[in-house]
Amino acid sequence: MSTGSITIENLSPISVADWTYERAAHLLERAGFGGTPAQIERLAQMSPQEAVASFVDYMHADNSHLPAFEESGFWEPSFKDFPVSRPAATELAERSGEAMGVRVKPSGDRPLQPVTNRFFYWLRATVLETRRLAFWWLDRMVRSNRPLEEKMTLFWHGHFATSEEKLRDYRKMQLQLDTLRKGATGNFGDLLIAVAKDPAMLVFLDAAQNVKGAPNENFGREVMELFTMGVGNYTEDDIREAARAFTGWGNDDLTFVVDPDKHDGGTKRFLGREGNFSGEDILRIILEQKQTATYIASALYRFFVRDQLSPDFAEQLGDLLRDNSYEIAPFLTAIFLSEDFYSEASVGTHIKSPTELLVSTYRKLGLSELPGIPDPHTVCKTLGQVLLYPPTVAGWGEGRSWITPGLLYERANFAREVMFPNIIEFRDPNHNPGGEVRRVNRNIIAGMEITAATLEDDAAPSSTAGIQETFNTRYASLMGYSEALRKLKPLPRAAAQFSLSDIVRDAGARTAAEAVDVLLGQLLRVPLAPPARQALVTTLTEQLGTADLSQAETYLEHPLRSVAHLIMSSPQFQLA
């Protein structure tokens, strides 16, 4: 299949003669998160091989400027065996006299209140710290000199989807991120084994419940259905036998362990093979299946290139991955150099995920750090992708699932917040525990007794008479939030620092039309139709009161930002 001189589903390398500024921009959008015209021009001046190598062979790029994640200091060893629920916490305290390192009061009111406070403290603290971890990761995506490293980490995060909501431990999410980043473009087999032994994955898929005589099939099923082969390439018997092989796998906090007493050492029959298989053996057999390479290669292709590929081409991609012994880097090099990657069907057709939209926006504006206003967590939650909280074990949907009329409207709101941040009304959402906690807090500050302070506002004052509480959950929620927020290290809360006036001046624009063209070149990879471009020129001219930029030199910024907001609200801005 051919589109001009570039052929669809052709893995032959693009020629030097076909290498252009626009194709360099396409590479930067897909292998990274986009960038400035100056960054595109640097890539365009290289050969295709040099440009692709600058992304894939990223270990040579200096990232020493990136800060390490700085923890708030919430974690204490007593949280290691954190109760599964509040009732479990208080029942444990009643039986043993303490829980989570906190003793039951020997006498007085609400003897279990300190334990309950402790339970809610960790629940609140780990959520707040996970938000900080996600902020740190987004900041790393904006700052990194190795954008493919972070983009591949993002891919694997969606592929091996694990959510803090079930883990209730930000440290395990941080450890898994480190594992995904370390193996980002390495060997898929090595990464598969590392993730299978990752404490976050072990907890998320209930490894502790997978024991000899009563295997839990969660991981055995997902490792084939979602992580390696896809539906329809194994049987229910294969799932059961795989689960038996993984019995005894678990974690001691952040360390992988195998309990030999819980492991089923019997003979298993799996994918046509028979033997006393361990978990590692099951993964090795899966990797030997041709379908595994096809499945992983196709997933990578859809993430980096386009959604649609023929079965024959999917098989060809799988062969490419298998021929490279599951090494991801040479596979990506072949993809990023291929004619198919630069074909018309592949260019400007990828709908940016919320994360890609946020990061690419800031990188295209030349920012060197992630702004705290608008709040990235709130933006991504509104747009449908909260890092470290994938909605299911299958991760997030891609492509058109990111775009509805409502979500397109919210993307335009994000564009407005970037160009015109509402700093006056901004309140740090991390400091907002919700209306119920604030109501109880107001009542306590006003001097109300705990039970009365936590009743519904319309409850009769006499309704507290005779109540003997061993603990008060609403008060515990307030105390947990208060303690967590006291220790929480604040996020930087500054708006994006950039000057569109400088960008337009540095590009040599002299007229409103030229200024619009500069902004379009800065922000879009998919061109606007001529009438839409002309409407922007008219809008800018009207706001400036002139088409001559020299006459509007002293008040350029606001009109330029208004036009940039319109550009960023367009459907074209959502595409890479």
Side-chain angles (χ1 to χ4, degrees):
M1 300 170 67
S2 176
T3 56
S5 61
I6 299 297
T7 308
I8 294 175
E9 298 195 347
N10 182 356
L11 293 178
S12 299
I14 188 174
S15 69
V16 173
D18 285 325
W19 185 243
T20 63
Y21 177 93
E22 288 302 323
R23 287 180 174 138
H26 175 65
L27 176 65
L28 183 55
E29 289 279 346
R30 298 294 184 84
F33 297 95
T36 64
Q39 292 168 336
I40 298 170
E41 186 59 44
R42 281 197 293 273
L43 289 173
Q45 294 303 314
M46 302 178 187
S47 69
Q49 289 74 16
E50 291 168 338
V52 169
S54 72
F55 285 94
V56 179
D57 302 334
Y58 52 70
M59 293 308 295
H60 71 278
D62 181 19
N63 254 353
S64 59
H65 65 291
L66 296 180
F69 179 64
E70 185 178 358
E71 298 184 43
S72 294
F74 292 130
W75 172 256
E76 297 175 26
S78 58
F79 292 126
K80 177 183 173 183
D81 298 315
F82 191 70
V84 296
S85 64
R86 196 279 307 152
T90 50
E91 289 168 10
L92 173 62
E94 287 180 312
R95 291 195 311 271
S96 64
E98 67 176 280
M100 300 164 288
V102 175
R103 292 182 179 178
V104 176
K105 291 167 61 176
S107 63
D109 294 339
R110 302 178 186 84
L112 294 176
Q113 194 65 50
V115 170
T116 316
N117 294 353
R118 180 76 162 174
F119 178 82
F120 281 98
Y121 161 70
W122 179 248
L123 281 188
R124 308 320 182 201
T126 188
V127 168
L128 291 169
E129 197 73 339
T130 302
R131 290 184 190 176
R132 291 184 68 250
L133 180 62
F135 187 101
W136 170 84
W137 187 17
L138 285 167
D139 180 62
R140 188 179 177 98
M141 293 183 203
V142 172
R143 295 181 187 230
S144 179
N145 291 326
R146 305 172 182 178
L148 180 61
E149 180 179 43
E150 298 308 320
K151 200 155 194 181
M152 278 300 302
T153 305
L154 179 63
F155 169 79
W156 293 126
H157 176 44
H159 186 79
F160 295 114
T162 309
S163 174
E164 196 278 336
E165 184 174 11
K166 181 172 181 177
L167 302 183
R168 299 186 304 181
D169 187 350
Y170 73 88
R171 302 171 311 130
K172 292 184 177 69
M173 294 306 304
Q174 182 182 3
L175 180 62
Q176 186 179 81
L177 274 186
D178 291 344
T179 297
L180 299 180
R181 184 175 293 109
K182 181 179 179 181
T185 58
N187 185 276
F188 173 71
D190 293 343
L191 180 61
L192 178 64
I193 293 172
V195 171
K197 297 180 178 181
D198 172 68
M201 184 61 72
L202 291 163
V203 173
F204 191 65
L205 291 182
D206 305 310
Q209 282 76 56
N210 189 26
V211 298
K212 180 180 180 179
N216 181 295
E217 297 178 1
N218 281 2
F219 184 74
R221 180 180 302 277
E222 307 306 353
V223 75
M224 289 184 282
E225 178 178 325
L226 296 175
F227 301 161
T228 60
M229 298 174 69
V231 177
N233 296 288
Y234 51 86
T235 68
E236 289 297 312
D237 286 340
D238 290 324
I239 293 171
R240 285 188 287 271
E241 295 296 273
R244 290 178 58 211
F246 290 111
T247 51
W249 283 35
N251 64 293
D252 180 5
D253 196 22
L254 300 182
T255 303
F256 169 72
V257 296
V258 177
D259 186 339
D261 293 335
K262 296 179 179 179
H263 177 67
D264 183 342
T267 299
K268 293 96 178 174
R269 295 173 180 83
F270 178 72
L271 292 178
R273 305 275 293 276
E274 183 173 330
N276 181 13
F277 298 137
S278 65
E280 290 93 339
D281 293 327
I282 294 296
L283 298 178
R284 176 178 51 78
I285 294 170
I286 288 174
L287 289 167
E288 291 173 358
Q289 309 304 304
K290 185 174 182 178
Q291 171 59 23
T292 299
T294 301
Y295 181 83
I296 297 302
S298 298
L300 286 164
Y301 182 86
R302 290 188 179 98
F303 184 79
F304 283 104
V305 190
R306 64 176 186 272
D307 292 337
Q308 301 300 320
L309 68 164
S310 68
D312 288 344
F313 189 54
E315 188 171 336
Q316 184 181 354
L317 292 170
D319 290 342
L320 175 63
L321 185 59
R322 278 170 59 89
D323 290 345
N324 283 289
S325 302
Y326 284 100
E327 292 291 336
I328 301 298
F331 175 82
L332 290 179
T333 296
I335 293 297
F336 294 151
L337 282 174
S338 70
E339 288 196 6
D340 176 80
F341 182 71
Y342 300 97
S343 67
E344 184 178 341
S346 302
V347 175
T349 56
H350 172 75
I351 298 173
K352 299 174 190 173
S353 69
T355 297
E356 290 171 322
L357 176 71
L358 185 143
V359 175
S360 68
T361 295
Y362 295 138
R363 290 189 75 118
K364 288 182 177 185
L365 291 170
L367 270 61
S368 59
E369 62 183 352
L370 178 71
I373 302 175
D375 175 54
H377 172 81
T378 302
V379 169
C380 289
K381 183 177 181 180
T382 300
L383 298 182
Q385 185 181 38
V386 180
L387 293 181
L388 312 182
Y389 289 94
T392 70
V393 70
W396 291 277
E398 296 287 342
R400 293 184 180 274
S401 66
W402 295 128
I403 295 291
T404 65
L407 288 176
L408 190 58
Y409 176 80
E410 293 296 347
R411 286 178 176 231
N413 286 340
F414 165 64
R416 186 195 66 237
E417 285 290 320
V418 172
M419 290 296 145
F420 302 105
N422 189 5
I423 299 173
I424 292 175
E425 298 296 332
F426 179 80
R427 300 293 183 270
D428 191 332
N430 286 348
H431 294 171
N432 179 12
E436 179 63 22
V437 172
R438 290 199 302 271
R439 182 186 69 83
V440 174
N441 187 53
R442 286 194 300 269
N443 291 343
I444 294 294
I445 290 175
M448 294 178 66
E449 188 272 336
I450 289 176
T451 302
T454 55
L455 290 176
E456 299 294 342
D457 286 337
D458 57 357
S462 60
S463 62
T464 64
I467 293 179
Q468 298 294 320
E469 298 179 313
T470 56
F471 60 89
N472 185 297
T473 300
R474 288 177 175 170
Y475 182 69
S477 182
L478 167 63
M479 296 302 291
Y481 254 124
S482 298
E483 182 68 2
L485 289 172
R486 182 182 68 80
K487 293 183 177 181
L488 181 71
K489 289 187 177 179
L491 292 172
R493 292 301 186 184
Q497 302 300 306
F498 61 90
S499 169
L500 296 184
S501 301
D502 288 346
I503 290 172
V504 166
R505 287 192 203 98
D506 292 345
R510 297 182 179 181
T511 67
E514 290 174 352
V516 166
D517 288 338
V518 169
L519 294 179
L520 291 172
Q522 190 86 22
L523 297 170
L524 296 186
R525 295 274 57 85
V526 178
L528 290 182
R533 174 191 172 277
Q534 185 56 49
L536 293 174
V537 174
T538 300
T539 298
L540 182 57
T541 301
E542 290 175 350
Q543 292 200 17
L544 293 175
T546 176
D548 185 350
L549 298 189
S550 66
Q551 295 183 20
E553 180 70 26
T554 58
Y555 57 89
L556 271 177
E557 189 66 22
H558 193 281
L560 289 174
R561 287 183 178 234
S562 294
V563 171
H565 173 212
L566 294 175
I567 294 171
M568 293 167 62
S569 301
S570 68
Q572 288 84 348
F573 187 71
Q574 318 313 317
L575 299 173

